[in-house]
């Protein structure tokens, strides 16, 4: 057993950090948010973006002090107790395994449209096998694939924003800009055509497209300079969210009216490009969405396997998950994640409206659970770091502890508001996610009561024994 290896270069980490913010949900899910909140969806994205920046600042503080493949799960284990690390680690793994099935199916639909001779399930299988092979070779091959996938996404959104802004201000040569203009922000029922309450409903619809921001902190454990990588990705998240999310959505809602039927029919980004009369806009956008889907699949498989590795290392999963090949690849953790991913893909084709719908809804609120656990972990972890090695506090949460408590309160408020949402399945998502969380928590407490298998002084990714001292 060689342990994880530092196979990710700094350029890989930079792109993983950027690409993690740009999920396929940004392209696919934004149209329902725009239909619900109108131009006011910008406030929904700004609110969730602020939440993510604050949570990532807390996670950055803990991960810069102790970079590990378990990231927030390992921090929760130490700060809050074994039950917390076990529960949030397995819930996060469950979330990404379901994402594998969702993204594989989304990618298969696009590929089947281009080459219908191969059935959709066949494309899903091909995509999963190829990316599994990539992850099994070495962490460097994962990093290289993600570098190019993320690079295409970044260039595409950058080009979309530049072209869109030129059109909005009427200086894009050869484009039909008759519908474009800043007047679209207020001209069709006002900036908040469905009232201020729609901002919160918009939050529920867009919050899950931000999941993935934390991947850089998991990957940092396998980078050349973990502390620098975490610090850099944490400090840059404000401009990444500002440009890629707020910038691109601003372009969409100024290029054409928010209530345009084409947004719901074709998707917000395709509709925006089509409105300018750009040839083959739909196919160009499909290629970009496919790239995002493959990127999300690639990162999802990596993330799920590294969380499984960390759980195995801490004795909270089968010990085989913590074993690595000579290239530093946790093969058993990857294969187990892929197997469950394939099972979820099967459910998607065989029982789409029952079993698979349950899987999707029951993993839906995990993002918010993870963020909440990060808040509470940071509240205690700050005191642990200050007591043991204050020099490691190279990233600090702003206005600690007040802003941390305010962030936790906002997350609880969003979860509470979801319980009132029956129109967009918000209540069902929270209740089913709470049910799954309760089952995992029960298993955690039973294991703890039985004193199940924690190895003495488990090693960190660097190979050093982990200090188990806790402070109250």
């Amino acid at each position: 057993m060689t342990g994880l290896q530092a196979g990710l270069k700094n350029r890989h980490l930079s792109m993983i950090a950027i690409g993690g913010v740009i999920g396929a949900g940004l392209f696919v899910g934004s149209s329902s948010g725009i239909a619900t909140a109108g131009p006011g969806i910008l406030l929904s994205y700004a609110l969730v973006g602020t939440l993510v920046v604050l949570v990532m600042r807390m996670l950055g503080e803990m991960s810069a002090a102790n970079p590990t493949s378990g990231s927030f799960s390992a921090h929760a284990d130490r700060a809050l107790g074994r039950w917390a690390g076990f529960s949030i680690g397995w819930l996060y793994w469950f979330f990404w395994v379901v994402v594998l099935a969702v993204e594989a199916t989304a990618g298969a639909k696009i590929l089947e449209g281009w080459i219908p001779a191969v059935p959709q399930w066949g494309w899903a299988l091909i995509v999963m096998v190829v990316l599994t092979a990539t992850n099994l070779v070495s962490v460097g091959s994962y990093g290289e694939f993600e570098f190019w996938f993320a690079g295409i996404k970044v260039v595409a959104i950058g080009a979309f924003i530049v072209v869109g802004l030129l059109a909005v201000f009427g200086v894009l040569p050869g484009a039909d800009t008759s519908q474009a203009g800043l007047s679209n922000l207020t001209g069709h029922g006002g900036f908040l055509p469905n009232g201020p309450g729609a901002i919160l409903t918009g939050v529920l619809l867009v919050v899950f497209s931000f999941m993935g921001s934390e991947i850089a902190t998991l990957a940092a454990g396998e980078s050349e300079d973990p502390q620098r990588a975490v610090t850099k990705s944490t400090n840059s998240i404000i401009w990444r969210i500002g440009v890629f999310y707020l910038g691109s959505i601003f372009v969409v809602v100024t290029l054409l009216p928010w209530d345009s039927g084409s947004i719901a029919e074709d998707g917000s980004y395709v509709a925006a490009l089509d409105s300018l009369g750009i040839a083959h806009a739909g196919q160009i956008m499909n290629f970009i969405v496919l790239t995002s889907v493959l990127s999300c699949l690639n990162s999802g498989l990596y993330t799920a396997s590294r969380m499984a590795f960390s759980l195995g290392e801490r004795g909270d999963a089968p010990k085989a998950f913590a074993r690595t090949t000579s290239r530093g690849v946790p093969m058993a953790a990857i294969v187990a994640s892929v197997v469950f991913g394939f099972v979820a893909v099967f459910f998607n084709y065989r029982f789409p409206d029952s079993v698979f719908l349950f899987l999707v809804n029951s993993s839906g609120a995990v993002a918010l659970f993870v963020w909440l656990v990060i808040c509470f972990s940071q509240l205690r972890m700050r005191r642990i770091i200050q007591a043991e090695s204050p020099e490691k506090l190279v990233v600090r949460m702003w206005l600690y502890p007040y802003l941390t408590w305010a962030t936790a309160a906002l997350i609880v408020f969003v979860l509470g508001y979801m319980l009132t949402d029956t129109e967009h399945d918000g209540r069902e998502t929270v209740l089913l996610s709470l049910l799954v969380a309760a089952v995992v928590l029960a298993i955690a407490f039973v294991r703890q009561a039985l004193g199940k298998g924690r190895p003495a002084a488990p090693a960190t990714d660097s190979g050093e024994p982990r200090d188990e001292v806790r402070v109250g």
Side-chain angles (χ1 to χ4, degrees):
M1 188 171 79
T2 58
L4 299 180
Q5 296 176 5
L8 293 175
K9 297 180 172 61
N10 285 330
R11 67 181 177 88
H12 292 155
L13 255 293
S14 296
M15 273 302 176
I16 288 167
I18 294 171
V21 175
I22 312 168
L26 175 62
F27 298 109
V28 180
S30 53
S31 54
S32 58
I34 292 170
T36 299
I41 195 67
L42 284 166
L43 297 180
S44 303
Y45 273 102
L47 191 61
V48 180
T50 302
L51 197 61
V52 172
V53 167
L54 294 172
V55 170
M56 282 300 296
R57 186 75 186 182
M58 296 175 219
L59 183 55
E61 176 181 295
M62 296 185 289
S63 294
N66 181 30
T68 168
S69 62
S71 187
F72 51 84
S73 171
H75 304 320
D77 185 290
R78 186 153 188 233
L80 304 176
R82 275 193 69 184
W83 63 271
F86 176 94
S87 304
I88 208 65
W90 277 113
L91 283 172
Y92 189 70
W93 178 86
F94 172 59
F95 171 86
W96 281 109
V97 167
V98 175
V99 165
L100 291 181
V102 173
E103 301 295 340
T105 305
K109 281 180 182 172
I110 295 171
L111 288 164
E112 188 191 30
W114 292 342
I115 308 174
V118 179
Q120 200 179 110
W121 65 265
W123 279 121
L125 185 67
I126 291 167
V127 165
M128 290 274 277
V129 168
V130 169
L131 291 177
T132 301
T134 302
N135 274 267
L136 284 172
V137 172
S138 70
V139 68
S141 62
Y142 154 72
E144 201 61 37
F145 262 68
E146 193 54 29
F147 177 80
W148 292 106
F149 284 153
I152 291 170
K153 286 194 290 189
V154 169
V155 170
I157 290 197
F160 175 81
I161 291 171
V162 170
V163 168
L165 288 176
L166 290 174
V168 168
F169 293 106
V171 290
L172 184 67
D176 175 13
T177 58
S178 57
Q179 294 187 80
L182 295 176
S183 60
N184 283 328
L185 292 173
T186 55
H188 296 260
F191 185 68
L192 294 170
N194 297 323
I199 298 171
L200 282 174
T201 308
V203 164
L204 308 186
L205 295 172
V206 306
V207 68
F208 307 112
S209 65
F210 282 83
M211 195 67 164
S213 310
E214 69 293 327
I215 291 174
T217 63
L218 280 100
E222 294 176 84
S223 68
E224 297 166 337
D225 186 350
Q227 194 176 67
R228 177 176 175 269
V230 169
T231 305
K232 191 175 176 185
S233 68
T234 302
N235 290 337
S236 64
I237 193 161
I238 296 175
W239 72 259
R240 286 186 274 134
I241 287 176
V243 171
F244 297 125
Y245 276 86
L246 291 175
S248 62
I249 293 295
F250 173 81
V251 166
V252 169
V253 295
T254 50
L255 278 181
L256 73 173
W258 70 271
D259 53 359
S260 168
S262 59
I263 290 181
E265 192 176 324
D266 303 323
S268 47
Y269 288 78
V270 172
L273 285 177
D274 274 339
S275 72
L276 300 176
I278 295 174
H280 310 298
Q283 290 305 322
I284 293 169
M285 209 64 226
N286 270 337
F287 172 73
I288 296 164
V289 172
L290 178 63
T291 305
S292 292
V293 163
L294 294 176
S295 168
C296 195
L297 258 174
N298 196 34
S299 287
L301 182 50
Y302 171 84
T303 306
S305 64
R306 284 344 184 246
M307 186 55 77
F309 168 85
S310 177
L311 287 164
E313 197 182 38
R314 287 179 273 142
D316 290 336
K319 288 180 182 177
F321 286 6
R323 296 195 189 106
T324 56
T325 66
S326 58
R327 292 174 176 265
V329 174
M331 184 179 291
I334 290 174
V335 171
S337 301
V338 171
V339 166
F340 277 89
F342 277 129
V343 169
V345 168
F346 168 75
F347 284 145
N348 193 7
Y349 289 111
R350 189 73 181 82
F351 312 106
D353 298 321
S354 53
V355 181
F356 189 70
L357 191 63
F358 169 80
L359 289 176
V360 172
N361 284 337
S362 61
S363 66
V366 167
L368 292 165
F369 295 166
V370 167
W371 296 347
L372 198 56
V373 167
I374 289 171
C375 291
F376 291 127
S377 298
Q378 190 264 338
L379 284 168
R380 298 199 68 193
M381 205 64 180
R382 166 69 75 92
R383 304 199 324 252
I384 294 174
I385 299 167
Q386 281 180 325
E388 295 176 359
S389 44
E391 73 281 356
K392 289 186 177 179
L393 276 173
V394 291
V395 176
R396 286 175 179 264
M397 177 59 185
W398 308 295
L399 297 176
Y400 170 86
Y402 309 108
L403 208 44
T404 303
W405 279 112
T407 306
L410 182 57
I411 295 168
V412 171
F413 173 76
V414 171
L415 282 167
Y417 187 79
M418 285 179 75
L419 288 172
T420 69
D421 174 48
T422 52
E423 188 181 346
H424 302 96
D425 298 327
R427 176 184 291 178
E428 188 177 4
T429 297
V430 173
L431 291 176
L432 288 177
S433 297
L434 283 171
L435 173 66
V436 171
V439 170
V440 176
L441 270 171
I443 295 170
F445 284 123
V446 168
R447 281 177 56 86
Q448 195 161 312
L450 296 174
K452 286 277 184 180
R454 165 64 53 92
T460 61
D461 292 346
S462 62
E464 298 172 2
R466 195 182 68 184
D467 186 358
E468 285 292 328
V469 175
R470 302 177 193 269
V471 298

